[in-house]
Amino acid sequence: MERVNLLDFDLDGLTAYCAGLGEKRFRAVQLFRWIHQKGEARFDLMSDLARGLREKLATVADVRPLPVVGEHASADGTIKWLFDVGHGNAVEAVFIPEDDRGTLCVSSQAGCAVGCRFCSTGHQGFSRNLSTGEITAQLWHAEHQLRRRLALPAGQRAITNVVMMGMGEPLQNYSALVPALRTMLDDHGYGLSRRRVTVSTSGVVPMIERLRQDCPVALAVSLHAPTDALRDQLVPLNRKYPLGELLQACQHYLDQAPRDFITFEYCMLDGVNDQAEHAQALVALVSGRAGAVRVPCKFNLIPFNPFPASGLRRSSKEQVMSFARILQDAGIVTTVRKTRGEDIDAACGQLAGEVQDRTSVQARMTRPVIRIASSPTSAP
Ligand code: SAH
Ligand code: SF4
């Protein structure tokens, strides 16, 4: 019989599991704290648990990390881990240190079914959903590895913010996502505030509503276009959930959200969506002058990370700045995402694709360097 992976549980789930072993909730709390706060995977070292429980757990359960198949540290402090998730698939997590915070970018799926034009993960296609344990294991590994490496004093966290901006569409893996989010938020787990956990979505409208009800954290929405005609081309999911419905869901989300704005991400594609007319149309869209509802928001402009199969180019710096100015002049707070980890190819989906595609070493060598998402979407 396969062992139960305790990383698959949020605290309520672990409590229910422990109840099945005849244990009270406080035992589950102790166990949860050993796993997530101390990073302990060996039951025999969980000294304040009754020996009988430790022995029982050792026969039926485990704390199952993901095998690390690559680790790359950038000169700027960015660290990227590549995890094996079986069948030739790998996913990645990226740590981005900044002065006042440490952000971990986490993956939710191996590949992605949405298939955005500009996304290397989307071009790889969809392999499978990650389990809750596989999502949580990325944070578990990164947090405890960093604490050891940085020799942090007991109780001090390395990771202060999590963004679900790695591979995959988190809201298409909803049932696995939510317990992982709860573990991030739990005071007995990672104790992150709702403002410091961000779900980024390409716009799965019904699931935005469910997240609002079940686990409202900070929300980032990948917009990329001001009109349905253009967004249909860039984000195929738009054909199912067009802009009017998406903005309605965003506005409604703000009822429960931990912050009073939605972050709109906008990937800057040369000549495609980066013209002054696009910026003006965006202003009209989010201010409710284009038929959709008004949504309090901030914009995060992402310089496109080019990859050959996309056939797209990154907008020039000047173009990005003048686009940003139009939004700012209309009173919309707008940031341009910083370039991080360029020397380690730290961008969504890229390294994972390399592992899956072991044969094309030549192609790999000639791939352009892609920079990593920094995290201006996360609250300090
Ligand atoms: N699936 C979710 C989260 C993962 S993608 C989403 O789409 O929001 C995280 C962010 O990276 C998204 O805003 C996405 O649009 C952006 N992104 C994807 N490919 C990119 C590329 N090649 N260059 C720049 N940003 C990219
Ligand atoms: Fe999937 Fe997000 Fe990439 Fe689109 S941008 S293909 S939704 S991971």
Short mmCIF file of all heavy atoms in Angstrom, two decimals, residues 105-106 108-109 112 114 116-122 164-171 199-203 220-224 235 264-269 300 302-307 310 314 337 347-348 370-371 373, ligand 1:
data_model
loop_
_atom_site.label_atom_id
_atom_site.label_comp_id
_atom_site.label_asym_id
_atom_site.label_seq_id
_atom_site.Cartn_x
_atom_site.Cartn_y
_atom_site.Cartn_z
N CYS A 105 8.48 31.84 -6.44
CA CYS A 105 7.57 31.64 -7.57
C CYS A 105 7.35 30.13 -7.71
O CYS A 105 8.31 29.37 -7.86
CB CYS A 105 8.23 32.24 -8.80
SG CYS A 105 7.28 32.05 -10.30
N VAL A 106 6.12 29.69 -7.62
CA VAL A 106 5.78 28.26 -7.49
C VAL A 106 4.98 27.78 -8.71
O VAL A 106 4.15 28.52 -9.25
CB VAL A 106 4.98 28.04 -6.18
CG1 VAL A 106 4.41 26.65 -6.07
CG2 VAL A 106 5.86 28.36 -4.96
N SER A 108 2.23 25.12 -10.60
CA SER A 108 1.00 24.42 -10.24
C SER A 108 0.71 23.21 -11.14
O SER A 108 -0.10 22.35 -10.79
CB SER A 108 -0.19 25.38 -10.29
OG SER A 108 -0.30 25.97 -11.57
N GLN A 109 1.32 23.19 -12.31
CA GLN A 109 1.09 22.08 -13.25
C GLN A 109 2.40 21.77 -13.99
O GLN A 109 3.26 22.65 -14.08
CB GLN A 109 0.05 22.48 -14.31
CG GLN A 109 -1.32 22.83 -13.76
CD GLN A 109 -2.29 23.25 -14.85
OE1 GLN A 109 -1.95 24.06 -15.72
NE2 GLN A 109 -3.50 22.71 -14.80
N CYS A 112 1.02 23.36 -19.41
CA CYS A 112 -0.20 24.15 -19.22
C CYS A 112 -1.09 23.97 -20.44
O CYS A 112 -0.61 23.92 -21.57
CB CYS A 112 0.14 25.63 -19.06
SG CYS A 112 -1.32 26.67 -18.78
N VAL A 114 -3.56 26.03 -21.35
CA VAL A 114 -4.16 27.26 -21.88
C VAL A 114 -3.53 27.66 -23.22
O VAL A 114 -4.22 28.13 -24.13
CB VAL A 114 -4.06 28.41 -20.85
CG1 VAL A 114 -4.61 29.71 -21.42
CG2 VAL A 114 -4.83 28.04 -19.58
N CYS A 116 -1.06 29.98 -24.19
CA CYS A 116 -0.88 31.38 -24.61
C CYS A 116 0.25 31.48 -25.65
O CYS A 116 1.26 30.78 -25.55
CB CYS A 116 -0.56 32.25 -23.40
SG CYS A 116 -1.89 32.24 -22.17
N ARG A 117 0.06 32.38 -26.60
CA ARG A 117 1.00 32.50 -27.73
C ARG A 117 2.43 32.80 -27.31
O ARG A 117 3.39 32.41 -27.95
CB ARG A 117 0.56 33.67 -28.64
CG ARG A 117 -0.50 33.36 -29.64
CD ARG A 117 0.04 32.90 -31.00
NE ARG A 117 1.23 33.55 -31.53
CZ ARG A 117 1.28 34.64 -32.26
NH1 ARG A 117 0.15 35.25 -32.57
NH2 ARG A 117 2.41 35.11 -32.73
N PHE A 118 2.56 33.59 -26.26
CA PHE A 118 3.86 34.15 -25.87
C PHE A 118 4.52 33.35 -24.76
O PHE A 118 5.51 33.79 -24.19
CB PHE A 118 3.65 35.60 -25.38
CG PHE A 118 2.55 35.66 -24.37
CD1 PHE A 118 2.81 35.38 -23.04
CD2 PHE A 118 1.24 35.91 -24.75
CE1 PHE A 118 1.79 35.36 -22.11
CE2 PHE A 118 0.21 35.90 -23.82
CZ PHE A 118 0.49 35.62 -22.49
N CYS A 119 3.96 32.19 -24.39
CA CYS A 119 4.44 31.49 -23.19
C CYS A 119 5.11 30.17 -23.55
O CYS A 119 4.50 29.32 -24.23
CB CYS A 119 3.27 31.24 -22.25
SG CYS A 119 3.74 30.28 -20.80
N SER A 120 6.33 29.98 -23.07
CA SER A 120 7.05 28.75 -23.41
C SER A 120 6.40 27.54 -22.75
O SER A 120 6.37 26.45 -23.33
CB SER A 120 8.53 28.87 -23.03
OG SER A 120 8.65 29.26 -21.69
N THR A 121 5.86 27.72 -21.55
CA THR A 121 5.14 26.60 -20.91
C THR A 121 3.94 26.21 -21.76
O THR A 121 3.68 25.02 -22.00
CB THR A 121 4.65 26.99 -19.50
OG1 THR A 121 5.74 27.49 -18.74
CG2 THR A 121 4.03 25.82 -18.79
N GLY A 122 3.21 27.21 -22.22
CA GLY A 122 2.03 26.95 -23.06
C GLY A 122 2.42 26.20 -24.33
O GLY A 122 1.69 25.30 -24.78
N MET A 164 2.02 32.35 -7.32
CA MET A 164 1.75 31.17 -8.16
C MET A 164 1.92 31.59 -9.62
O MET A 164 0.94 31.75 -10.36
CB MET A 164 0.33 30.64 -7.90
CG MET A 164 0.08 30.14 -6.48
SD MET A 164 1.16 28.79 -5.92
CE MET A 164 0.92 27.57 -7.21
N MET A 165 3.18 31.80 -9.98
CA MET A 165 3.50 32.31 -11.32
C MET A 165 4.53 31.44 -12.03
O MET A 165 5.17 31.87 -12.98
CB MET A 165 4.06 33.73 -11.23
CG MET A 165 3.03 34.76 -10.81
SD MET A 165 3.72 36.40 -10.88
CE MET A 165 2.38 37.34 -10.12
N GLY A 166 4.71 30.22 -11.53
CA GLY A 166 5.62 29.31 -12.21
C GLY A 166 4.89 28.66 -13.38
O GLY A 166 4.06 29.28 -14.04
N MET A 167 5.17 27.39 -13.62
CA MET A 167 4.49 26.71 -14.72
C MET A 167 3.04 26.41 -14.36
O MET A 167 2.75 26.02 -13.23
CB MET A 167 5.18 25.37 -15.01
CG MET A 167 6.62 25.50 -15.41
SD MET A 167 7.31 23.86 -15.61
CE MET A 167 6.52 23.37 -17.14
N GLY A 168 2.17 26.54 -15.35
CA GLY A 168 0.81 26.07 -15.19
C GLY A 168 -0.20 27.15 -14.83
O GLY A 168 0.15 28.26 -14.44
N GLU A 169 -1.46 26.79 -15.01
CA GLU A 169 -2.57 27.69 -14.69
C GLU A 169 -3.17 27.20 -13.35
O GLU A 169 -3.88 26.19 -13.31
CB GLU A 169 -3.60 27.64 -15.82
CG GLU A 169 -4.93 28.31 -15.52
CD GLU A 169 -4.80 29.71 -14.91
OE1 GLU A 169 -4.16 30.58 -15.51
OE2 GLU A 169 -5.34 29.92 -13.80
N PRO A 170 -2.87 27.92 -12.26
CA PRO A 170 -3.29 27.42 -10.94
C PRO A 170 -4.79 27.19 -10.83
O PRO A 170 -5.23 26.25 -10.16
CB PRO A 170 -2.81 28.51 -9.98
CG PRO A 170 -2.34 29.65 -10.80
CD PRO A 170 -2.08 29.16 -12.17
N LEU A 171 -5.59 28.02 -11.50
CA LEU A 171 -7.05 27.86 -11.35
C LEU A 171 -7.60 26.73 -12.23
O LEU A 171 -8.79 26.44 -12.19
CB LEU A 171 -7.77 29.19 -11.61
CG LEU A 171 -7.45 30.29 -10.59
CD1 LEU A 171 -8.35 31.52 -10.82
CD2 LEU A 171 -7.59 29.81 -9.14
N VAL A 199 -2.17 34.50 -6.31
CA VAL A 199 -2.52 33.57 -7.39
C VAL A 199 -2.58 34.38 -8.68
O VAL A 199 -3.24 35.41 -8.75
CB VAL A 199 -3.87 32.87 -7.12
CG1 VAL A 199 -4.37 32.15 -8.37
CG2 VAL A 199 -3.72 31.88 -5.97
N SER A 200 -1.85 33.91 -9.68
CA SER A 200 -1.87 34.55 -10.99
C SER A 200 -2.66 33.66 -11.95
O SER A 200 -2.41 32.46 -12.04
CB SER A 200 -0.44 34.71 -11.50
OG SER A 200 -0.43 35.21 -12.82
N THR A 201 -3.62 34.27 -12.64
CA THR A 201 -4.45 33.47 -13.55
C THR A 201 -4.62 34.14 -14.89
O THR A 201 -4.64 35.36 -14.99
CB THR A 201 -5.85 33.19 -12.94
OG1 THR A 201 -6.62 32.42 -13.89
CG2 THR A 201 -6.61 34.48 -12.63
N SER A 202 -4.77 33.30 -15.91
CA SER A 202 -5.06 33.81 -17.24
C SER A 202 -6.55 34.13 -17.40
O SER A 202 -6.97 34.57 -18.45
CB SER A 202 -4.61 32.78 -18.29
OG SER A 202 -5.25 31.55 -18.02
N GLY A 203 -7.33 33.85 -16.34
CA GLY A 203 -8.73 34.28 -16.37
C GLY A 203 -9.77 33.17 -16.39
O GLY A 203 -10.69 33.19 -17.21
N ALA A 220 -3.66 38.21 -9.20
CA ALA A 220 -3.06 38.83 -10.38
C ALA A 220 -3.74 38.21 -11.61
O ALA A 220 -3.94 36.99 -11.65
CB ALA A 220 -1.55 38.58 -10.42
N VAL A 221 -4.12 39.03 -12.55
CA VAL A 221 -4.79 38.52 -13.75
C VAL A 221 -3.95 38.90 -14.96
O VAL A 221 -3.56 40.05 -15.13
CB VAL A 221 -6.22 39.09 -13.86
CG1 VAL A 221 -6.84 38.74 -15.20
CG2 VAL A 221 -7.09 38.55 -12.72
N SER A 222 -3.66 37.89 -15.78
CA SER A 222 -2.83 38.11 -16.96
C SER A 222 -3.71 38.63 -18.09
O SER A 222 -4.44 37.87 -18.72
CB SER A 222 -2.15 36.79 -17.35
OG SER A 222 -1.28 36.40 -16.31
N LEU A 223 -3.64 39.93 -18.33
CA LEU A 223 -4.58 40.57 -19.25
C LEU A 223 -4.06 40.55 -20.69
O LEU A 223 -4.70 40.03 -21.58
CB LEU A 223 -4.83 42.00 -18.76
CG LEU A 223 -6.15 42.64 -19.14
CD1 LEU A 223 -7.34 41.82 -18.66
CD2 LEU A 223 -6.24 44.06 -18.57
N HIS A 224 -2.94 41.20 -20.91
CA HIS A 224 -2.19 41.14 -22.18
C HIS A 224 -2.84 41.80 -23.39
O HIS A 224 -2.20 41.91 -24.45
CB HIS A 224 -1.81 39.70 -22.57
CG HIS A 224 -1.14 38.93 -21.49
ND1 HIS A 224 -0.06 39.42 -20.79
CD2 HIS A 224 -1.40 37.71 -20.94
CE1 HIS A 224 0.33 38.53 -19.88
NE2 HIS A 224 -0.48 37.49 -19.95
N VAL A 235 -4.42 34.82 -25.67
CA VAL A 235 -4.81 33.97 -24.53
C VAL A 235 -6.07 33.22 -24.97
O VAL A 235 -7.18 33.73 -24.83
CB VAL A 235 -5.12 34.82 -23.27
CG1 VAL A 235 -5.43 33.94 -22.07
CG2 VAL A 235 -3.97 35.78 -22.95
N PHE A 264 -3.03 43.66 -12.76
CA PHE A 264 -3.10 43.15 -14.14
C PHE A 264 -1.69 43.02 -14.69
O PHE A 264 -0.92 43.98 -14.70
CB PHE A 264 -3.92 44.09 -15.03
CG PHE A 264 -5.40 44.03 -14.77
CD1 PHE A 264 -6.13 45.18 -14.51
CD2 PHE A 264 -6.06 42.80 -14.79
CE1 PHE A 264 -7.49 45.11 -14.26
CE2 PHE A 264 -7.44 42.73 -14.54
CZ PHE A 264 -8.15 43.89 -14.28
N GLU A 265 -1.37 41.81 -15.15
CA GLU A 265 -0.08 41.60 -15.79
C GLU A 265 -0.27 41.78 -17.30
O GLU A 265 -1.30 41.40 -17.87
CB GLU A 265 0.41 40.18 -15.49
CG GLU A 265 0.76 40.01 -14.02
CD GLU A 265 0.79 38.54 -13.65
OE1 GLU A 265 -0.29 37.96 -13.44
OE2 GLU A 265 1.88 37.99 -13.60
N TYR A 266 0.76 42.34 -17.89
CA TYR A 266 0.64 42.67 -19.31
C TYR A 266 2.01 42.46 -19.95
O TYR A 266 2.96 43.17 -19.67
CB TYR A 266 0.20 44.13 -19.46
CG TYR A 266 -0.35 44.50 -20.81
CD1 TYR A 266 -1.72 44.45 -21.08
CD2 TYR A 266 0.50 44.92 -21.84
CE1 TYR A 266 -2.23 44.82 -22.31
CE2 TYR A 266 0.00 45.29 -23.07
CZ TYR A 266 -1.37 45.24 -23.30
OH TYR A 266 -1.88 45.61 -24.54
N CYS A 267 2.09 41.41 -20.77
CA CYS A 267 3.35 41.04 -21.42
C CYS A 267 3.52 41.90 -22.67
O CYS A 267 2.67 41.90 -23.56
CB CYS A 267 3.25 39.56 -21.76
SG CYS A 267 4.71 38.91 -22.52
N MET A 268 4.63 42.63 -22.74
CA MET A 268 4.81 43.63 -23.80
C MET A 268 5.42 43.00 -25.06
O MET A 268 6.58 42.61 -25.07
CB MET A 268 5.72 44.75 -23.29
CG MET A 268 5.14 45.53 -22.11
SD MET A 268 3.69 46.52 -22.55
CE MET A 268 4.44 47.77 -23.57
N LEU A 269 4.60 42.92 -26.09
CA LEU A 269 4.99 42.25 -27.34
C LEU A 269 5.11 43.30 -28.45
O LEU A 269 4.12 43.99 -28.77
CB LEU A 269 3.92 41.21 -27.71
CG LEU A 269 3.65 40.14 -26.65
CD1 LEU A 269 2.35 39.41 -26.94
CD2 LEU A 269 4.82 39.16 -26.62
N ASN A 300 1.21 45.71 -14.11
CA ASN A 300 2.59 45.24 -14.06
C ASN A 300 2.98 44.87 -15.49
O ASN A 300 2.47 43.88 -16.04
CB ASN A 300 2.66 44.03 -13.12
CG ASN A 300 4.07 43.59 -12.88
OD1 ASN A 300 5.03 44.34 -13.13
ND2 ASN A 300 4.22 42.38 -12.39
N ILE A 302 5.31 43.40 -18.23
CA ILE A 302 6.39 42.40 -18.26
C ILE A 302 7.06 42.43 -19.62
O ILE A 302 6.40 42.14 -20.63
CB ILE A 302 5.82 40.96 -18.06
CG1 ILE A 302 4.77 40.92 -16.95
CG2 ILE A 302 6.93 39.98 -17.81
CD1 ILE A 302 4.06 39.57 -16.84
N PRO A 303 8.34 42.79 -19.67
CA PRO A 303 9.01 42.68 -20.97
C PRO A 303 8.99 41.21 -21.41
O PRO A 303 9.32 40.33 -20.62
CB PRO A 303 10.44 43.16 -20.68
CG PRO A 303 10.36 43.89 -19.38
CD PRO A 303 9.22 43.27 -18.61
N PHE A 304 8.56 40.95 -22.62
CA PHE A 304 8.44 39.58 -23.14
C PHE A 304 9.79 38.86 -23.09
O PHE A 304 10.81 39.42 -23.46
CB PHE A 304 7.92 39.66 -24.58
CG PHE A 304 7.95 38.36 -25.31
CD1 PHE A 304 7.28 37.24 -24.82
CD2 PHE A 304 8.65 38.24 -26.52
CE1 PHE A 304 7.30 36.03 -25.51
CE2 PHE A 304 8.66 37.05 -27.22
CZ PHE A 304 7.99 35.94 -26.72
N ASN A 305 9.78 37.62 -22.62
CA ASN A 305 10.96 36.74 -22.69
C ASN A 305 10.88 35.97 -23.99
O ASN A 305 10.09 35.03 -24.08
CB ASN A 305 10.94 35.73 -21.55
CG ASN A 305 11.03 36.40 -20.22
OD1 ASN A 305 11.88 37.23 -19.99
ND2 ASN A 305 10.12 36.04 -19.34
N PRO A 306 11.68 36.31 -24.97
CA PRO A 306 11.51 35.67 -26.26
C PRO A 306 11.96 34.21 -26.27
O PRO A 306 12.85 33.84 -25.51
CB PRO A 306 12.39 36.50 -27.20
CG PRO A 306 13.21 37.38 -26.35
CD PRO A 306 12.74 37.31 -24.93
N PHE A 307 11.32 33.41 -27.06
CA PHE A 307 11.82 32.06 -27.36
C PHE A 307 11.48 31.80 -28.82
O PHE A 307 10.46 32.32 -29.32
CB PHE A 307 11.22 31.02 -26.40
CG PHE A 307 9.73 30.94 -26.41
CD1 PHE A 307 9.07 29.92 -27.09
CD2 PHE A 307 8.95 31.89 -25.75
CE1 PHE A 307 7.69 29.84 -27.10
CE2 PHE A 307 7.58 31.81 -25.75
CZ PHE A 307 6.94 30.79 -26.43
N SER A 310 8.00 31.18 -30.66
CA SER A 310 6.91 32.14 -30.48
C SER A 310 6.72 33.04 -31.70
O SER A 310 5.62 33.48 -31.99
CB SER A 310 7.16 33.01 -29.26
OG SER A 310 8.22 33.92 -29.51
N ARG A 314 10.34 41.14 -28.10
CA ARG A 314 10.17 41.98 -26.92
C ARG A 314 10.05 43.44 -27.34
O ARG A 314 10.78 43.90 -28.22
CB ARG A 314 11.39 41.79 -26.03
CG ARG A 314 11.37 42.65 -24.79
CD ARG A 314 12.69 42.57 -24.06
NE ARG A 314 12.79 41.31 -23.31
CZ ARG A 314 13.68 41.09 -22.33
NH1 ARG A 314 14.56 42.03 -22.02
NH2 ARG A 314 13.71 39.96 -21.69
N ARG A 337 8.23 45.18 -14.73
CA ARG A 337 8.88 44.09 -14.00
C ARG A 337 10.37 44.09 -14.25
O ARG A 337 10.83 44.20 -15.39
CB ARG A 337 8.27 42.75 -14.41
CG ARG A 337 8.66 41.66 -13.44
CD ARG A 337 7.96 40.37 -13.74
NE ARG A 337 6.55 40.39 -13.36
CZ ARG A 337 5.78 39.33 -13.44
NH1 ARG A 337 6.25 38.19 -13.89
NH2 ARG A 337 4.52 39.41 -13.09
N ALA A 347 13.16 31.65 -16.09
CA ALA A 347 11.84 32.14 -16.51
C ALA A 347 10.87 30.99 -16.62
O ALA A 347 11.27 29.84 -16.75
CB ALA A 347 11.93 32.85 -17.86
N CYS A 348 9.60 31.33 -16.57
CA CYS A 348 8.54 30.32 -16.56
C CYS A 348 8.75 29.22 -17.60
O CYS A 348 8.77 29.49 -18.79
CB CYS A 348 7.19 30.96 -16.82
SG CYS A 348 6.78 32.21 -15.63
N ILE A 370 16.53 34.05 -20.92
CA ILE A 370 15.24 34.57 -20.51
C ILE A 370 15.35 35.04 -19.08
O ILE A 370 15.98 34.41 -18.26
CB ILE A 370 14.15 33.49 -20.68
CG1 ILE A 370 13.93 33.29 -22.18
CG2 ILE A 370 12.88 33.89 -19.99
CD1 ILE A 370 12.77 32.42 -22.52
N ARG A 371 14.75 36.15 -18.79
CA ARG A 371 14.88 36.66 -17.43
C ARG A 371 13.69 36.22 -16.58
O ARG A 371 12.67 35.77 -17.07
CB ARG A 371 15.01 38.18 -17.43
CG ARG A 371 13.83 38.85 -18.12
CD ARG A 371 12.95 39.56 -17.17
NE ARG A 371 11.61 39.60 -17.69
CZ ARG A 371 10.66 38.82 -17.22
NH1 ARG A 371 10.88 37.93 -16.31
NH2 ARG A 371 9.43 38.93 -17.69
N ALA A 373 10.75 36.48 -13.61
CA ALA A 373 9.74 37.37 -13.06
C ALA A 373 10.16 37.80 -11.67
O ALA A 373 10.31 37.00 -10.79
CB ALA A 373 8.44 36.63 -12.97
N1 SAH B 1 -0.89 30.64 -15.77
C1 SAH B 1 -0.83 31.77 -14.93
C2 SAH B 1 0.41 31.84 -14.06
C3 SAH B 1 1.70 31.39 -14.66
S1 SAH B 1 2.36 32.43 -15.92
C4 SAH B 1 -0.98 33.05 -15.74
O1 SAH B 1 -0.95 32.98 -16.96
O2 SAH B 1 -1.18 34.09 -15.13
C5 SAH B 1 2.98 33.80 -14.97
C6 SAH B 1 3.12 35.09 -15.77
O3 SAH B 1 4.17 34.98 -16.74
C7 SAH B 1 1.86 35.44 -16.53
O4 SAH B 1 1.52 36.79 -16.37
C8 SAH B 1 2.28 35.17 -17.95
O5 SAH B 1 1.52 35.91 -18.85
C9 SAH B 1 3.74 35.54 -17.94
N2 SAH B 1 4.49 34.99 -19.06
C10 SAH B 1 4.36 33.79 -19.64
N3 SAH B 1 5.24 33.65 -20.66
C11 SAH B 1 5.94 34.79 -20.71
C12 SAH B 1 7.00 35.25 -21.55
N4 SAH B 1 7.50 34.49 -22.52
N5 SAH B 1 7.48 36.48 -21.32
C13 SAH B 1 6.98 37.24 -20.32
N6 SAH B 1 6.00 36.85 -19.51
C14 SAH B 1 5.48 35.64 -19.70
#
